[in-house]
Amino acid sequence: MSYNPEDYYNAKCKNLEEQLVKIKKQLLVFGLLRISIFLLTSLAVYLLIDDTRSIFISLLVGIVLFLYLVSKNENKRREKSKVVQLLTLNKLEINVINRNFDGIKEGLTYLSELHDYNQDIDLFGKGSVFQMINRTSTLKGEQLLAEILNSNLLEDIKLKQEAIAELSKKIDWRQNYQAIGALIKTEIKSDTILNWLRDYKSKIPNLFKYLPTVYSLVSVTLFGLYLFSVIEIGFVLVSFFGGLFITGVYLKKINDLYSSTSAMT
């Protein structure tokens, strides 16, 4: 049975469109559930206004369920973004098969009058080799592809052919890798990020690798003991404000770390 690339990509598009419809419905359900939990928690607090422990339990359950749904919703939104990107990639492949290269860079910035041949053999430009094979997701990847085409090195040709043959059979893996790369948005060059990672020195004590987990367990335990009338509310408040104090001590360093990393995402 012969393999028809266009039929394959059309089937992929149909499957991805069905996934997208399903994800949109799930996002709607998550949104309605969050609203319902908020309203039910508010109603419980109102009805139990004279029972402090019951209010704490209602708030705890409501907050936990709400945060769980927020987490699930965020994961589903990321899944939606990935499916949309995969759908775009498969539609692009269908266009390429039909000689429509719209949406793929021509690579004209890599043409040079000083180069021996790159203006003579359609390496770059509309319908060029670069436009035909360029599926890079980052600027660094695009530059590397242009560099390889311009260098025309004869070394390791067989290895390159074997790599291409292997990747040609892994369409799903290849597109998944490409989609993830395309979803990463940053204004910082990859070299800058790599240099930052190489030279980074931790500003937070090693103790903080374990302290958040230990402190959380202690806090939850104290809260549970309070709910069962084993200890007074004061122990819970001490635990709460103690956590705020520890956070406050390292707040500036945490903000500096956040600022430097958020600029790279």
Side-chain angles (χ1 to χ4, degrees), residues 9-183:
Y9 290 119
N10 276 319
K12 288 269 290 184
C13 286
K14 182 179 179 181
N15 179 264
L16 289 166
E17 286 168 350
E18 291 173 353
Q19 288 184 46
L20 196 56
V21 171
K22 182 179 179 181
I23 290 172
K24 287 180 179 179
K25 290 180 180 178
Q26 291 173 332
L27 285 171
L28 177 60
V29 170
F30 285 143
L32 293 174
L33 286 174
R34 291 203 310 275
I35 293 174
S36 299
I37 288 174
F38 174 78
L39 293 176
L40 288 172
T41 303
S42 301
L43 179 61
V45 171
Y46 174 75
L47 295 175
L48 301 169
I49 193 67
D50 296 324
D51 189 341
T52 304
R53 282 185 168 78
S54 296
I55 288 177
F56 269 117
I57 293 174
S58 300
L59 285 173
L60 179 63
V61 173
I63 291 172
V64 168
L65 288 175
F66 188 85
L67 292 178
Y68 171 76
L69 287 173
V70 168
S71 175
K72 294 287 289 184
N73 184 78
E74 186 60 29
N75 291 338
K76 194 59 63 175
R77 283 175 63 86
R78 284 197 289 267
E79 183 182 346
K80 177 188 173 185
S81 298
K82 184 179 176 182
V83 170
V84 169
Q85 187 61 41
L86 286 169
L87 185 58
T88 301
L89 293 177
N90 281 276
K91 288 181 176 179
L92 180 65
E93 296 301 338
I94 294 172
N95 289 339
V96 170
I97 290 172
N98 293 294
R99 308 298 296 176
N100 178 1
F101 297 102
D102 291 343
I104 304 179
K105 294 181 180 180
E106 299 178 9
L108 294 176
T109 55
Y110 302 109
L111 283 172
S112 173
E113 295 181 356
L114 301 177
H115 198 279
D116 293 333
Y117 55 81
N118 71 4
Q119 298 186 66
D120 302 325
I121 59 174
D122 293 327
L123 275 183
F124 304 98
K126 190 172 183 61
S128 63
V129 174
F130 178 85
Q131 194 175 44
M132 181 72 74
I133 68 175
N134 179 25
R135 299 296 184 273
T136 58
S137 299
T138 64
L139 178 60
K140 188 69 175 178
E142 177 188 311
Q143 292 171 341
L144 180 59
L145 175 60
E147 181 182 326
I148 292 172
L149 291 176
N150 273 325
S151 65
N152 195 32
L153 295 176
L154 301 178
E155 289 82 359
D156 300 324
I157 289 181
K158 184 173 178 57
L159 289 175
K160 293 174 183 177
Q161 290 173 335
E162 291 173 353
I164 292 171
E166 180 180 351
L167 288 173
S168 67
K169 300 174 184 177
K170 298 181 177 181
I171 300 176
D172 290 340
W173 182 90
R174 194 174 67 235
Q175 288 193 340
N176 183 65
Y177 188 84
Q178 189 178 349
I180 293 173
L183 291 174

